[in-house]
Structure formats: C-alpha cells, structure tokens
Amino acid sequence: AAFGCLVPRLVTGQFDPARQAAVWPSTGNYCRGGAFDCALLATDAVAILPEGMSKERFDWLREIGTKEVIGTPGTESNVKEIYDKVHELKTTRGDNIVVFNQFEEFGNALWHYDMTGSAFEQVFNSIKGPRSRMAGYVSATGSAGTISAGEYLKKVYPYSHITAVEALQCPTLYANGFGAHRIEGIGDKHVPWIHNVRNTDAVAAIDDEYPMHLLRLFNEEAGKVYLEKKGVPREIIEQLNLMGISSLANMVAAIKMAKYEEMDENDVVFTVFTDSADLYLSRIEELRAEYGPYTEMDAALDYAKYLEGILTDWYRELNYRDRKQLHNLKYFTWVEQQGKTAEELRELWEPEFWNQIWTAAPAFDRLIDQFNERTGLLAKL
C-alpha cells in the first residue's frame, strides 16, 4: 500500500526524495511500509501513529532508522488526532514534506485492486473445483486500500459480495457509532475518501473480545496443545502465528459472512491476513499479566465461544440508501475538515469515476518505465 501511494507521486515529479521528507500517517502497518520505502530511497521518513499502538510497531520503526516517529493522543480509534498532526506539519514545514495519506491516496486503492485482487483470482483458479463459486471478499476497512481488492473480484465475478469489517466497540459503518477498541490497524470514526462504499454489500462488526481471545488460543502453548487434540494438523498450528489481531478480526468476519449467507462447500470466501502475531507479543504479555497463565480450560472455553461459537449477529446487509448514507458521512471528515469540496464528494458516488481509477495502472506502469530509464538504475543492474 505504501508503494502504491509513493510511486505515482515519485514518477510524476510531485515528490523529490532528495529534498523532501515523506510523512506517513497511519494506525497500523502502513507506517512500516512507508519507512521501508524511504530507507530504500535514502530519504527521510516521518511516521505518525497513535501513541497507544503496540510497542513492537514503534520499535520496528526506530530500528529501520525512521527519522521521526510521532505518537499522537489515543489509540486505534483516534484517526482525527493523526490528521490534526498532519495539518500542523503542513503548516510548519510547508514544501519540505510530502504527506502520503493512505486514507485519500487513490494509489493505495489502485494497488490493491490491481495486485491483491488479481492475486486472489490466481489463487481461486488454482484451488477451484467444477462447482466452486467465488462467493465473496472480506476485509477490514482501515484506509480502504485492502478492501479495494474486492472491487477487482466483483468486476470478474459480479455475483461476489464485499463485506467490510470494523470493531463492534466503534461501529462507524454499522451504526454511525463511535468508541474505542483493541483491533489494531483498522482505523475508524470516519469513512476513508478512497472507500467506494457504493460497492460494499455488508458490514460485519466484530467484538474485539474475539480476536483477543483467539490471539492467545493460537499462540499460547496450552492453546496449541488443545487445537491438536481437536484434530487441527500440527503444520497448520505452527502457522497460526501469521495472524495478528486485525487478521483474526477478518477471519471471524469471513465465518460470519459464510454463515449469514448460508454458504456451503462450493462457496469460496477470500480474506486477507494483514498482520502477524509478532506485532503483538507485548499484548500477549499484557493479557497474561491481567488474566494469569493460559490453561487447557481457557483454551477449551475460547475454542467453544470464540471459534465454534461465531454467529451471524452484528452483520448488516446494505441497501442502496444505506450505502448512500455512509458515502455522505465522508462530508464531515473530508469536506469540513480536510479541504475537499462537495462537488468532489458527489463525483466519488459515480461509477464512472471509479472506472477511471481502476483502469489507471497501465499509464502508471509506463511512467515507471520512463522513470527507470531516466535514472539508469536498471541498466546498472
């Protein structure tokens, strides 16, 4: 996603890494990708994320040599505080910085549409049977980059559905609600500018107790032993640490979608694991400190309630008026606070606007080729 935001600005001359620092506002993994891109370009990176995010996120950013790591007040739900800091930096540093705001950079959505979406199609073609159906795609909203892969799948498989995922404790799309939650990396309390809500079919609100309990079930030794007793192959158990908190929320939502739509063995639902447990080792330690050692009884209870017990509650289908209502919510963040215009907001509702976005990749590929020719780096390789 960071690459998708960076490259359009770089190849069109809107970002000069020799004299400008790149600012990466995020609640999750985006800062890491942006900092890594800047390290490759030998340019300065400024990462902005809520101070309440996991310790591992801050450690990683500093280890890679990020010039500035700025913590803003709050936790996962405090996106506005990030925007306020970005506005402050724009005012004080002017042309010395370029802000790559993933919530409004269409390169973010386009990259996931073109790359992540086509990757899902390849996987589907490799696993499908004679009666397989591409049934749907499930993704936390976050910056609305990853969920854009569903747009590609819907284009290829028109009957597939897109389900957006958010925290029940902060049900922005589900109920125009607010609050604080523990599912790190899926920022909320606003609708991202680049989220094509018109194509979102449903919203799943996930109680953050689910991913937090599953984090322990999948990573504590007693949990692994219990899963093996339940017949889960050891090679699968050893890979469960590839799922972090937001990945587990996506998994729970995918199960909700399958149950709600009464899917069977012929339906294929895709989701994406956007983080790993490595980012949350400190969270596991915090849970141990709060609740004590994890036992086989804990594992049995978590397995029954938070895995087998996943139901279709807090799952909402969206009709046309629902989607238009959610689209209109963008006004309060993007027009009133971030300088967009009402006319731009109206344009975002039109399918023709998105068709132009989704077909822009070949033009950027040509600009990338021209950029590489000018730098001469490929010839040296």
Side-chain angles (χ1 to χ4, degrees):
F3 177 87
C5 294
L6 173 69
V7 166
R9 300 286 197 95
L10 186 63
V11 300
T12 56
Q14 299 176 63
F15 172 54
D16 181 356
R19 67 176 187 85
Q20 294 173 305
V23 177
W24 305 93
S26 173
T27 64
N29 300 323
Y30 177 71
C31 282
R32 301 170 71 218
F36 186 75
D37 287 343
C38 286
L40 294 176
L41 288 171
T43 192
D44 292 333
V46 179
I48 305 174
L49 67 166
E51 59 190 4
M53 304 304 286
S54 69
K55 174 180 177 293
E56 287 82 358
R57 279 184 163 81
F58 288 93
D59 290 345
W60 194 94
L61 287 166
R62 294 187 178 99
E63 286 170 7
I64 200 174
T66 308
K67 182 182 179 182
E68 290 183 72
V69 181
I70 300 173
T72 53
T75 55
E76 181 62 41
S77 298
N78 298 94
V79 176
K80 183 181 183 300
E81 287 77 2
I82 299 174
Y83 290 162
D84 290 343
K85 176 56 70 171
V86 167
H87 180 74
E88 176 189 321
L89 293 183
K90 283 182 177 178
T91 302
T92 58
R93 304 189 189 183
D95 191 45
N96 293 319
I97 62 169
V98 174
V99 177
F100 295 93
N101 186 348
Q102 60 175 330
F103 299 93
E104 64 175 323
E105 293 280 349
F106 288 104
N108 178 13
L110 175 59
W111 191 91
H112 281 292
Y113 175 92
D114 205 52
M115 301 301 294
T116 311
S118 61
F120 284 136
E121 182 187 22
Q122 291 175 27
V123 173
F124 178 68
N125 288 332
S126 72
I127 66 171
K128 68 180 181 180
R131 299 182 61 191
S132 294
R133 298 181 289 260
M134 171 68 78
Y137 175 66
V138 175
S139 172
T141 47
S143 67
T146 309
I147 200 171
S148 300
E151 300 274 345
Y152 179 95
L153 295 177
K154 191 180 280 281
K155 184 80 71 174
V156 181
Y157 307 99
Y159 293 103
S160 63
H161 288 175
I162 299 174
T163 294
V165 183
E166 61 183 2
L168 175 61
Q169 283 75 11
C170 189
T172 306
L173 299 179
Y174 189 90
N176 294 354
F178 53 89
H181 63 89
R182 296 175 291 174
I183 305 176
E184 299 187 35
I186 65 167
D188 37 41
K189 285 185 185 169
H190 78 297
V191 183
W193 185 250
I194 63 172
H195 185 179
N196 182 17
V197 190
R198 186 171 185 151
N199 261 1
T200 301
D201 300 287
V203 179
I206 305 302
D207 188 333
D208 63 17
E209 288 292 321
Y210 280 77
M212 299 309 291
H213 280 268
L214 291 175
L215 183 68
R216 295 197 78 182
L217 176 65
F218 288 177
N219 291 277
E220 297 272 18
E221 190 57 36
K224 295 179 183 180
V225 170
Y226 185 79
L227 290 172
E228 194 164 20
K229 287 182 179 180
K230 297 296 290 186
V232 180
R234 193 69 195 183
E235 58 269 25
I236 297 296
I237 293 173
E238 295 304 325
Q239 296 182 73
L240 293 177
N241 64 352
L242 295 176
M243 285 186 278
I245 296 173
S246 61
S247 299
L248 292 166
N250 280 343
M251 183 195 74
V252 172
I255 295 171
K256 278 185 179 290
M257 180 187 195
K259 288 188 174 183
Y260 183 88
E261 298 196 11
E262 299 180 340
M263 296 179 183
D264 61 27
E265 66 275 10
N266 297 310
D267 294 295
V268 178
V269 176
F270 276 93
T271 189
V272 57
F273 296 154
T274 49
D275 54 5
S276 74
D278 286 345
L279 286 175
Y280 305 105
L281 298 179
S282 61
R283 296 298 189 215
I284 295 174
E285 291 295 332
E286 291 168 5
L287 291 169
R288 286 176 187 154
E290 184 174 358
Y291 298 107
Y294 197 72
T295 66
E296 185 172 345
M297 179 62 74
D298 294 322
L301 291 171
D302 287 346
Y303 184 91
K305 181 174 182 179
Y306 297 106
L307 198 57
E308 285 192 333
I310 296 171
L311 303 174
T312 59
D313 54 343
W314 305 108
Y315 190 91
R316 176 189 175 194
E317 285 190 82
L318 302 177
N319 61 32
Y320 178 87
R321 289 299 171 189
D322 293 332
R323 301 175 201 196
K324 188 65 179 289
Q325 180 185 26
L326 294 179
H327 173 81
N328 290 342
L329 278 180
K330 294 183 182 182
Y331 179 90
F332 303 101
T333 298
W334 297 104
V335 177
E336 288 194 342
Q337 299 177 23
Q338 300 300 317
K340 305 291 187 183
T341 67
E343 184 55 36
E344 288 176 308
L345 181 60
R346 293 187 185 98
E347 289 177 355
L348 284 185
W349 184 247
E350 300 303 323
E352 292 77 15
F353 176 91
W354 292 100
N355 288 337
Q356 292 179 358
I357 297 296
W358 304 141
T359 56
F364 281 119
D365 285 340
R366 288 192 293 271
L367 289 171
I368 291 170
D369 289 339
Q370 294 169 12
F371 180 87
N372 289 334
E373 287 177 7
R374 290 199 305 272
T375 62
L377 288 176
L378 290 183
K380 293 179 182 178
L381 295 174

